Amino acid sequence: LKFEVQILGVGSATPVLERHPSAQVLSIDNESFLIDCGEGTQYRLLEQKIKHPRIRHVFISHLHGDHYLGLIGLISSLNLNQRSEELTVYGPKGLREILEIQFKYADTRIRFDLNFVEVDTTARNIILDHQFLTVETIPLAHRIPCCGFLFRTKPAPRKLLRELLPEEFPVTYMKMLKNGIDVHDELNQATYLAADFTLEAATERAYAYCSDTAYLERNVPQLANVNTMYHEATFTNELLSRAIETNHSTATQAAQIAQMANVGKLLIGHFSSRYKTLETFETEARAIFENTLLAEEGVIYEI
Ligand SMILES: [Zn+2]
Ligand SMILES: [Zn+2]
């Protein structure tokens, strides 16, 4: 199963020409999940040729504009484009009210099923139990209620090697083999070992999206061993005091969390517009956590 994330924006609060506000698309199989939706996200989706019908779930971390101002535009366009698929928006208290007041004064009638799920940003809750994965909130520490999202694939059954089995092999036996149970066929006095007729299932994978947050060690157990973690790094360590003041993290701090949680790979983003170049972020983080990458817009990262 394909499991990957494409970064659409690595900027923070104020715009820089070549860096856009937060938005990412996580894809599994043929479905996509939109994570944050900064201003202009709909153009970024067009640019990357991401088909709207594939997106049925949108996760908003908090109500700072650089994380959700693109949502009203995106939803309006989906409505004008005769969307028929359902769309569920997960976000903190207030998001629904903000959008609905915009619909009201624009006399916009949404003609597809638009659902809102208000998330509690202070707790670890599973907010979506999907066919392929679960999504859990990651409580963060920011100036306003804010949470991240942990996407974890579900354990998959073993893959059946159908061509090795006799024709007319009973379906119940196939199910047993897929679950790793050996089959003894009394009638034909034959034994089928799961190990001989199936392949090991793909291992579970996890992606953590840590949006705007102050340095927060208490989340380390929840983030333990995830394959890929995105963590904000608004500042370099030189501006640690500014990070503390504004409830943001530095590249060093993001790397410290990655190291403590023993994640596979760290992606850092949400760079402050005051930085013209980003090398320092990389050097600084890598000094603590080697497998760090600067999140790059348009790039797809396998999880
Ligand atoms: Zn932000
Ligand atoms: Zn923020």
Side-chain angles (χ1 to χ4, degrees):
L1 220 57
K2 177 189 83 169
F3 189 38
E4 57 193 29
V5 65
Q6 183 167 29
I7 310 292
L8 301 182
V10 300
S12 63
T14 54
V16 186
L17 270 180
E18 68 285 8
R19 299 203 291 261
H20 299 83
S22 293
Q24 309 189 350
V25 174
L26 181 92
S27 298
I28 187 160
D29 197 41
N30 268 326
E31 198 167 340
S32 298
F33 301 83
L34 182 60
I35 313 171
D36 275 343
C37 187
E39 198 178 335
T41 295
Q42 57 174 327
Y43 299 95
R44 316 288 294 148
L45 292 169
L46 275 176
E47 233 170 59
Q48 301 301 334
K49 302 186 173 57
I50 295 161
K51 302 263 179 294
H52 292 162
R54 288 179 41 170
I55 302 175
R56 288 161 195 259
H57 304 275
V58 180
F59 299 88
I60 302 295
S61 64
H62 66 301
L63 296 183
H64 280 152
D66 55 325
H67 296 259
Y68 88 98
L69 286 181
L71 201 50
I72 184 70
L74 176 64
I75 293 175
S76 303
S77 300
L78 295 178
N79 200 38
L80 292 171
N81 292 332
Q82 325 285 335
R83 180 185 176 97
S84 53
E85 296 80 11
E86 205 177 319
L87 186 75
T88 305
V89 179
Y90 305 77
K93 182 178 165 58
L95 181 59
R96 178 183 196 144
E97 197 185 334
I98 292 170
L99 290 171
E100 283 181 347
I101 205 160
Q102 298 190 71
F103 299 147
K104 178 182 160 193
Y105 286 101
D107 193 23
T108 296
R109 260 151 270 188
I110 302 294
R111 287 181 297 265
F112 57 91
D113 280 332
L114 177 61
N115 314 309
F116 290 94
V117 174
E118 188 181 303
V119 304
D120 175 357
T121 58
T122 64
R124 271 177 73 161
N125 288 323
I126 292 190
I127 51 170
L128 174 63
D129 190 350
H130 177 272
Q131 182 188 0
F132 299 123
L133 46 74
T134 57
V135 185
E136 189 177 303
T137 45
I138 307 170
L140 298 173
H142 200 39
R143 247 181 341 102
I144 57 173
C146 180
C147 68
F149 302 101
L150 177 60
F151 299 80
R152 195 183 290 283
T153 61
K154 288 186 171 174
R158 301 170 69 91
K159 187 182 182 308
L160 194 67
L161 299 168
R162 184 71 191 83
E163 57 284 2
L164 299 184
L165 290 167
E167 272 182 52
E168 324 230 329
F169 192 72
V171 176
T172 32
Y173 287 175
M174 289 190 204
K175 280 189 183 152
M176 287 169 71
L177 291 175
K178 279 168 111 174
N179 289 321
I181 303 163
D182 299 330
V183 169
H184 184 67
D185 181 358
E186 288 285 353
L187 204 66
N188 300 305
Q189 284 300 304
T191 297
Y192 302 89
L193 300 179
D196 293 342
F197 295 95
T198 57
L199 295 180
E200 197 71 55
T203 48
E204 289 171 63
R205 282 173 289 170
Y207 176 67
Y209 174 75
C210 297
S211 189
D212 296 10
T213 186
Y215 177 74
L216 202 58
E217 284 180 6
R218 67 155 193 252
N219 281 341
V220 167
Q222 189 184 9
L223 300 169
N225 304 314
V226 301
N227 303 73
T228 305
M229 175 173 78
Y230 171 92
H231 196 290
E232 74 120 298
T234 308
F235 303 105
T236 55
N237 219 38
E238 198 190 354
L239 287 176
L240 176 63
S241 58
R242 185 91 188 105
I244 293 168
E245 238 171 72
T246 56
N247 284 291
H248 280 296
S249 300
T250 66
T252 298
Q253 291 177 323
Q256 282 167 340
I257 297 291
Q259 192 214 27
M260 277 187 276
N262 189 36
V263 307
K265 171 167 71 198
L266 169 66
L267 292 175
I268 50 174
H270 198 266
F271 309 115
S272 162
S273 58
R274 72 173 68 221
Y275 297 93
K276 299 287 164 274
T277 59
L278 304 172
E279 288 85 31
T280 321
F281 285 89
E282 194 171 19
T283 334
E284 196 177 293
R286 282 193 179 165
I288 290 156
F289 187 78
E290 175 66 33
N291 201 9
T292 302
L293 296 170
L294 297 179
E296 263 183 77
E297 294 187 6
V299 174
I300 295 174
Y301 300 88
E302 212 181 295
I303 290 159

